[in-house]
Amino acid sequence: NFLPARNAEAVERLIAFVAGTPTPQLPAVLYLWGEPGAGKTHLLEAAYHAVQAHAVRGVYVPLAEAAQLAPSLLDDLEQATLICIDDIEAVAGEPPWEAALFALYERAQASGTRLLITAVANPRHLGLAMLELRTRLGAGWVYHLHALSDEEKLAALRLRARQRGLDLPDDVAAYILVRHARDTHALFGLLDRLDRAALAAQRRLPITFVRGFE
């Protein structure tokens, strides 16, 4: 349920990367970067669940929680087929974590394991202290995920609503975009709450109903 918009090429490459489509150009790393709300974690979680659904071992590492984790967490992860590392910027400039990530890259390269990584900036501007790690991360497929425009956010809201079987008229979608926070996390969170409330009330979503969530 991800609306590709300007990110169509990145999504196509992600599908090929997760599937391990045979190609001489298939790299060891696919690196997705962009501002919060661009859909990085959404795509990472989708990739993880896709390999799990095909009985292929995947690993998901949320580095936003690095304060509660240890670099040793990365030991032996190359036994998986796909390693999904989210928010790598959270450990940029941390020597133990950077050393562990570099060692994981080297082991993954040797074993054929694929690394799917997200960040808020490209590898050159991430603040990584280890030049070798910066070079390795930038050597694969690197894609900037563009945030959705307002028109694309409307399309994404309608797409999510249709997939839920929810009647979201165009005027209501436009009203939501004008009156509520415009980042996609907030918009989709509101849609979740509206969906639950509409289901409980057994009704569609007129603007008067949406006003109750302001």
Side-chain angles (χ1 to χ4, degrees):
N1 59 4
F2 183 82
L3 183 71
R6 292 172 290 167
N7 303 308
E9 183 179 342
V11 173
E12 288 175 5
R13 286 293 179 97
L14 174 63
I15 292 170
F17 187 80
V18 171
T21 303
T23 167
Q25 290 78 40
L26 189 69
V29 177
L30 173 55
Y31 185 104
L32 302 174
W33 66 277
E35 65 184 69
K40 303 183 300 294
T41 297
H42 180 100
L43 290 176
L44 205 70
E45 291 177 347
Y48 169 77
H49 289 299
V51 296
Q52 294 289 92
H54 288 85
V56 177
R57 186 186 173 201
V59 177
Y60 180 81
V61 182
L63 286 183
E65 303 172 13
Q68 288 78 47
L69 306 173
S72 58
L73 171 72
L74 304 180
D75 293 349
D76 300 322
L77 291 190
E78 69 277 5
Q79 306 301 322
T81 299
L82 179 71
I83 302 172
C84 302
I85 300 178
D86 206 6
D87 298 317
I88 196 174
E89 72 276 359
V91 297
E94 300 286 340
W97 276 104
E98 290 196 16
L101 285 165
F102 179 76
L104 174 61
Y105 175 93
E106 295 292 291
R107 296 194 307 273
Q109 180 88 342
S111 65
T113 297
R114 298 185 295 279
L115 295 172
L116 176 58
I117 295 174
T118 69
V120 295
N122 67 45
R124 296 189 307 277
H125 302 126
L126 198 61
L128 294 168
M130 183 181 289
L131 175 60
E132 295 88 346
L133 178 60
R134 190 161 66 241
T135 301
R136 299 297 194 280
L137 295 182
W141 287 341
V142 178
Y143 280 94
H144 179 195
L145 286 184
H146 299 278
L148 298 178
S149 68
D150 284 351
E151 284 300 315
E152 291 163 349
K153 287 174 184 176
L154 286 172
L157 277 172
R158 290 191 289 264
L159 172 64
R160 292 284 182 101
R162 283 198 305 272
Q163 290 173 336
R164 294 167 175 267
L166 189 63
D167 182 8
L168 184 67
D170 289 348
D171 62 331
V172 178
Y175 177 87
I176 289 173
L177 193 63
V178 170
R179 296 296 297 269
H180 292 269
R182 294 192 175 206
D183 69 275
T184 51
H185 292 308
L187 288 172
F188 296 152
L190 174 64
L191 187 61
D192 288 341
R193 299 196 303 276
L194 288 169
D195 187 17
R196 291 193 296 269
L199 181 63
Q202 295 184 333
R203 62 190 302 178
R204 65 197 295 270
L205 291 176
I207 288 177
T208 53
F209 186 73
V210 175
R211 285 197 184 110
F213 288 79
E214 295 178 355

